[in-house]
């Protein structure tokens, strides 16, 4: 028994506990969890395990959404759930997509609806190459060919017409571009615009003008431009030329799968769907899909999901924990084993 200076019984544990409690509360974030389909729930479980091991308290609420939920009762996402999410600090999502669900139902009804309605206008996807080089793709996340413009005429007849336009607003392009410049400023002051201005002479022109005009506000940032087809070659043969890349939604979708492929595989590629103005939660998810062929077998690599969790912590202001988790993942790239064994190995490095 410990006595204090006046001879009273001292309770060091009781004395210190309120402090720990207060710390817990300070680092408590409200996070909506959407494990989703296929390997999604398995990889998210590992991300949550690692976040806990990093000492960050999350108050999580799970949502059973995705293709399998849709097959059960037809529910994709309601306005009520979206409204509920608006008061959360972040959304942590595994993957969506289930065989048997018509294309677009879950993608448009859940994932794109989240991106659009929560105004997650930047999709930030970092890539690390062997050695020391890394670069980041800033993908515009609310417009372009994803906007849903278009339709059918005379569907099912020999004269059928389908159009699917690309919607580009000056505001939408400019805010993604501006984010790219700001990000470049925190790194190596180099930003590349990727588009296809030689063919897409309307949308490409809008993007190029917005890029050049915003560039004048950032004289310290060196700029470059690549057509998207050429960028595909450079991603494979000369990715060192990139620091930050900014591009439209569809080009960004395709380029970031390529980015994953040239930087250790899609199993490592993380992403952050950001609302940089922080008027609501941002959403964090691995780039990969639900991989139904290996679902439930503990075969998926959880590193992309764990790194997406680190991006979430970073955005929430927990830079230290985020950096520690990222370093732990880097140290575990050669670890083989089940999904949960890889998660355990990363957690053990913290
Ligand atoms: C991605 C995915 C999604 C996209 C799909 C699932 C709708 O491929 O996040 O890259 O095309 O944006
Ligand atoms: Mn994609």
């Amino acid at each position: 028994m410990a006595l204090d200076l006046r001879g009273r019984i001292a309770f060091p544990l009781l004395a210190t506990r309120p402090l720990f409690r207060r710390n817990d509360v300070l680092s408590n974030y409200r996070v909506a969890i959407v494990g989703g389909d296929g390997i999604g729930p398995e990889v998210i479980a590992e991300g949550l395990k690692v976040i806990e091991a990093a000492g960050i308290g999350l108050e999580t609420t799970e949502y059973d959404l995705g293709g399998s939920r849709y097959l059960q009762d037809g529910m994709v996402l309601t306005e009520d759930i979206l409204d509920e999410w608006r008061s959360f600090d972040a959304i942590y999502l595994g993957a969506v997509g289930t065989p048997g669900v018509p294309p677009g139902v879950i993608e448009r009804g859940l994932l794109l609806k989240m991106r659009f309605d929560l105004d997650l206008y930047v999709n930030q996807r970092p890539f690390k190459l062997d050695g020391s080089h890394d670069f980041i793709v800033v993908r515009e996340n609310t417009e372009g060919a994803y906007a849903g413009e278009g339709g059918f005429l005379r569907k099912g007849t020999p004269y059928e017409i389908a159009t699917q336009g690309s919607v580009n607003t000056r505001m939408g392009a400019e805010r993604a571009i501006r984010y790219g410049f700001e990000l470049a400023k925190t790194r190596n002051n180099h930003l590349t615009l990727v588009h296809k201005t030689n063919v897409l002479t309307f949308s490409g022109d809008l993007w190029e003008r917005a890029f050049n005009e915003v560039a004048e506000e950032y004289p310290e940032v060196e700029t470059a431009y690549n057509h998207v087809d050429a960028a595909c070659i450079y991603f494979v043969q000369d990715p060192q030329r990139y620091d930050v890349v900014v591009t439209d939604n569809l080009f960004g979708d395709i380029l970031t799968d390529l980015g994953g492929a040239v930087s250790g595989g899609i199993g490592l590629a993380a992403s952050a769907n950001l609302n940089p103005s922080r008027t609501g939660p941002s959403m964090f998810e691995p780039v990969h899909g639900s991989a139904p062929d290996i679902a439930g077998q503990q075969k998926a690599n959880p590193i992309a999901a764990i790194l997406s969790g680190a991006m979430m912590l970073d955005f929430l202001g927990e830079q230290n924990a985020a950096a520690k988790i990222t370093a732990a993942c880097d140290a575990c790239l050669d670890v083989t084993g089940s999904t949960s064994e890889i998660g355990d190995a990363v957690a053990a490095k913290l």
Side-chain angles (χ1 to χ4, degrees), residues 7-279:
R8 290 182 310 213
I9 302 165
F11 294 102
L13 279 178
L14 286 182
T16 50
R17 190 172 285 157
L19 271 182
F20 285 124
R21 281 222 182 108
R22 211 178 309 145
N23 283 344
D24 278 352
V25 169
L26 275 180
S27 61
N28 228 331
Y29 301 99
R30 290 185 64 228
V31 178
I33 307 292
V34 183
D37 300 314
I39 59 172
E42 292 166 67
V43 296
I44 288 299
E46 300 313 309
L48 291 172
K49 179 195 285 178
V50 169
I51 288 171
E52 197 185 330
I56 302 296
L58 299 185
E59 187 191 320
T60 57
T61 309
E62 279 194 44
Y63 291 83
D64 174 19
L65 297 171
S68 34
R69 170 69 190 265
Y70 172 77
L71 289 180
Q72 279 166 40
D73 64 6
M75 139 92 141
V76 180
L77 175 64
T78 62
E79 292 300 325
D80 284 352
I81 294 177
L82 254 180
D83 278 344
E84 218 169 281
W85 285 345
R86 289 180 212 278
S87 69
F88 279 73
D89 295 307
I91 302 164
Y92 191 30
L93 185 141
V96 293
T98 299
V101 179
V105 172
I106 299 301
E107 291 84 349
R108 283 211 166 272
L110 179 61
L111 196 61
L112 299 190
K113 193 163 171 58
M114 281 162 91
R115 290 177 181 170
F116 294 178
D117 288 21
L118 298 172
D119 210 20
L120 310 179
Y121 67 82
V122 160
N123 195 329
Q124 184 166 326
R125 298 184 159 178
F127 301 102
K128 207 172 276 174
L129 301 163
D130 284 349
S132 61
H133 187 70
D134 72 290
F135 66 99
I136 298 178
V137 174
V138 172
R139 164 185 174 188
E140 198 290 320
N141 212 28
T142 58
E143 304 193 338
Y146 279 69
E149 192 272 345
F152 292 109
L153 270 178
R154 300 191 280 273
K155 189 175 179 185
T157 75
Y159 314 104
E160 176 167 349
I161 297 169
T163 63
Q164 189 116 36
S166 169
V167 175
N168 297 264
T169 70
R170 169 67 194 227
M171 187 268 296
E174 187 172 322
R175 63 186 184 172
I177 288 166
R178 200 172 287 281
Y179 184 89
F181 275 103
E182 289 292 333
L183 187 60
K185 256 174 56 174
T186 68
R187 293 169 49 89
N188 300 309
N189 283 315
H190 191 280
L191 180 67
T192 305
L193 171 66
V194 170
H195 211 284
K196 183 75 184 174
T197 55
N198 54 343
V199 173
L200 304 183
T201 50
F202 308 130
S203 59
D205 189 70
L206 181 151
W207 271 81
E208 194 168 41
R209 272 182 292 116
F211 185 80
N212 291 337
E213 283 167 32
V214 176
E216 286 179 18
E217 296 171 36
Y218 296 89
E220 68 277 41
V221 178
E222 197 187 329
T223 60
Y225 170 80
N226 294 154
H227 292 319
V228 65
D229 46 353
C232 289
I233 297 178
Y234 299 140
F235 263 53
V236 175
Q237 294 187 347
D238 185 24
Q240 283 76 13
R241 69 171 57 217
Y242 296 121
D243 180 30
V244 180
V245 172
V246 64
T247 190
D248 92 341
N249 208 342
L250 183 57
F251 295 146
D253 175 50
I254 298 164
L255 269 182
T256 53
D257 265 24
L258 187 54
V262 298
S263 60
I266 202 73
L268 307 182
S271 84
N273 295 258
L274 300 177
N275 170 345
S277 38
R278 296 177 188 266
T279 53

Side-chain angles (χ1 to χ4, degrees), residues 317-340:
E318 299 286 350
Q319 281 85 7
N320 267 344
K324 271 198 267 169
I325 293 174
T326 307
C329 286
D330 285 349
C332 288
L333 292 183
D334 293 330
V335 172
T336 52
S338 69
T339 304
S340 72

Side-chain angles (χ1 to χ4, degrees), residues 271-294:
S271 84
N273 295 258
L274 300 177
N275 170 345
S277 38
R278 296 177 188 266
T279 53
S282 290
M283 187 265 277
F284 302 82
E285 53 162 351
V287 175
H288 63 66
S290 59
D293 49 326
I294 58 162

